[in-house]
Amino acid sequence: MMALILFISFIVLIFLGIPIAFSLGISSLIYILMVDIPLSIVPQKMFEGINSFVLLCIPGFILAGNLMNAGGITERIIAFTNNLIGHIRGGLGLANVGSSMGFAGISGTALADTASIGSVLIPAMKKEGYDAPFSVAVTSSSSTIGPIIPPSLPMIIVGTLATVSIGDLFLAGTIPGILLGIGLMIVTYFISVKRKYPKGERQKLTTIIKSFWGAFWALMMTLVILFGILSGYFTPTEASIVAVVYALLVGMFIYRDLKVHQLPKILLDSMVSTAGIMVLVGFANLFGWVLVSEQIPQLVADTILSISENPIVVILLLNLLLLFVGTFMETIAALVILFPVLMPVAIQVGMDPVHFGVMMVLNLMIGLSTPPVGVCLFVASSIGKVSIGRASVALLPFLGVSLVVLLLVSFVPQLTMYLPSLFD
């Protein structure tokens, strides 16, 4: 009964438009007051949730991404991908997907990808004759690649929750992220051919090389981070600081687009983003503690395994649950609440925690571009001035490809575990 009140209050608060972090906190507080638990448990559990050395890398990666973005990196990545593949039919759409793959190593968040690349490419695609809903669909679906290809904030959260190597998680997401990007490019190309969307002029090799050099230092950030973590030169937290120093040097002395007077605003924006994530993690940990108190994890595990103990069926059920949750719950909150609940079920059917972590993140990323509360779809639709309904219809082919990649990741463990196994 008390668990039912918890969930009802949480859902009501979400539909009232209250931010997810405060919906988690308020619904947990209602439960605590009704069962007469001392209120001192609230700060204790919130602090437990954020009291992790690994989580210290979150502000570093957020700041590094903001510094690189302010340093003109978005335009350089777009220019390189457009020069490389823009001559193909639907080239600007292909460049959109390619830019998201390149931008993944900079931001690590899907929403930053949507806002940065979408603000440049959606108007450009519309101007070139692409349908607005198609432009929005390409942007919102490809932006979900960001948290799959390293570095990735959701993977950092998974590593903290599962106490597994963040380096392994970063590597495990690489092949699925590339597969997702290739799949979205294939769909973009065939739709573009069918609708006779325009193609740009083939660029000279010297132009391509010049634009590659412009994006080179940004693309190298991913390699610097991965090499440093996997070689043991620095921890993920130290890697985030290295990324900040790297972004400062590249932005101020190589690209020279990052100015000193921009730094206070960048620092402030990074602090606000970090604070929002930490509050969310804290409240989500409190909510998770309430679920454990009500034995909800055990109930969920028993319910899933009572339907079937067949690994294929169980993995399908986990995917369906996560896809549903991803449509309305913020990614980090969903991870903090559900990962500890579902991981025992996944392990029981033979999944490695790293494999399950990548599968879960991919599920939740797909939800970011899926109605009713897909924030990437909302942002892209706002930029493209398109209704959610029209954008959702245009999104269907891209959603289909994303689901195919999800099934491959779910049932072919080698796609995620191959690269980590090379460094064991």
Side-chain angles (χ1 to χ4, degrees):
M1 179 63 182
M2 295 308 302
L4 185 61
I5 293 173
L6 176 75
F7 285 115
I8 290 174
S9 60
F10 174 61
I11 293 170
V12 169
L13 289 166
I14 286 179
F15 280 100
L16 287 176
I18 295 175
I20 186 77
F22 296 108
S23 297
L24 290 167
I26 294 170
S27 56
S28 300
L29 184 61
I30 291 171
Y31 170 89
I32 288 168
L33 291 173
M34 293 190 69
V35 299
D36 199 26
I37 296 174
L39 289 177
S40 58
I41 199 70
V42 175
Q44 288 176 14
K45 293 302 173 184
M46 288 186 68
F47 182 74
E48 280 181 18
I50 62 177
N51 185 28
S52 169
F53 179 74
V54 176
L55 291 182
L56 285 175
C57 65
I58 289 179
F61 282 125
I62 289 174
L63 178 57
N66 288 342
L67 287 169
M68 292 294 276
N69 199 27
I73 183 56
T74 305
E75 291 78 7
R76 285 178 170 84
I77 290 178
I78 290 173
F80 169 59
T81 53
N82 195 32
N83 286 333
L84 185 65
I85 57 179
H87 62 280
I88 304 172
R89 179 70 65 183
L92 207 53
L94 297 174
N96 194 325
V97 180
S99 298
S100 292
M101 294 175 73
F103 198 75
I106 309 304
S107 69
T109 60
L111 192 56
D113 187 324
T114 306
S116 299
I117 292 177
S119 61
V120 176
L121 280 181
I122 290 177
M125 290 177 70
K126 290 170 65 178
K127 186 177 179 181
E128 289 292 319
Y130 293 81
D131 292 340
F134 175 79
S135 305
V136 167
V138 171
T139 304
S140 62
S141 59
S142 64
S143 65
T144 58
I145 300 171
I148 308 299
I149 297 176
S152 163
L153 296 186
M155 295 294 190
I156 294 169
I157 299 293
V158 168
T160 306
L161 294 170
T163 60
V164 297
S165 167
I166 290 176
D168 284 352
L169 284 164
F170 281 0
L171 285 173
T174 303
I175 292 177
I178 293 172
L179 276 178
L180 182 57
I182 292 172
L184 294 176
M185 280 186 170
I186 292 172
V187 173
T188 301
Y189 173 74
F190 279 109
I191 292 176
S192 298
V193 170
K194 182 179 179 181
R195 299 181 183 177
K196 295 181 171 57
Y197 285 143
K199 58 181 179 179
E201 295 181 4
R202 184 183 294 272
Q203 299 297 319
K204 296 179 181 178
L205 181 60
T206 53
T207 303
I208 295 174
I209 293 173
K210 185 178 179 180
S211 63
F212 169 73
W213 183 249
F216 172 79
W217 294 104
L219 299 174
M220 277 295 292
M221 180 186 277
T222 302
L223 295 180
V224 169
I225 292 169
L226 275 179
F227 175 77
I229 294 175
L230 295 173
S231 63
Y233 282 114
F234 36 74
T235 66
T237 302
E238 292 164 346
S240 69
I241 305 306
V242 170
V244 170
V245 175
Y246 182 94
L248 273 172
L249 293 174
V250 170
M252 297 186 77
F253 301 108
I254 296 178
Y255 292 155
R256 298 182 180 178
D257 287 340
L258 182 62
K259 308 300 180 184
V260 174
H261 68 82
Q262 294 176 284
L263 295 181
K265 185 178 186 303
I266 293 171
L267 287 168
L268 180 61
D269 290 344
S270 301
M271 286 190 288
V272 170
S273 298
T274 300
I277 290 174
M278 290 304 181
V279 169
L280 179 58
V281 171
F283 279 132
N285 191 66
L286 175 64
F287 191 87
W289 174 79
V290 173
L291 293 182
V292 172
S293 299
E294 287 290 314
Q295 297 184 324
I296 299 300
Q298 189 61 46
L299 177 63
V300 170
D302 290 344
T303 301
I304 292 175
L305 294 173
S306 68
I307 296 173
S308 175
E309 293 187 3
N310 185 306
I312 295 175
V313 175
V314 171
I315 291 173
L316 283 173
L317 290 173
L318 289 174
N319 278 313
L320 288 173
L321 173 62
L322 292 169
L323 284 170
F324 171 71
V325 170
T327 62
F328 68 88
M329 185 177 286
E330 203 278 334
T331 304
I332 293 177
L335 285 171
V336 175
I337 294 169
L338 290 178
F339 191 85
V341 173
L342 299 178
M343 189 170 72
V345 180
I347 291 174
Q348 193 161 333
V349 294
M351 293 187 78
D352 186 277
V354 172
H355 178 204
F356 176 64
V358 173
M359 187 190 86
M360 184 168 184
V361 170
L362 181 55
N363 266 290
L364 297 175
M365 288 304 105
I366 293 172
L368 289 177
S369 59
T370 308
V373 197
V375 290
C376 289
L377 183 62
F378 271 75
V379 171
S381 298
S382 175
I383 295 171
K385 298 180 174 59
V386 176
S387 69
I388 295 295
R390 293 179 64 202
S392 298
V393 172
L395 186 72
L396 290 176
F398 300 95
L399 181 59
V401 168
S402 298
L403 292 176
V404 169
V405 173
L406 174 61
L407 289 174
L408 288 172
V409 169
S410 300
F411 294 107
V412 186
Q414 292 81 2
L415 291 176
T416 54
M417 302 306 298
Y418 174 69
L419 289 181
S421 69
L422 296 179
F423 291 86
D424 286 343

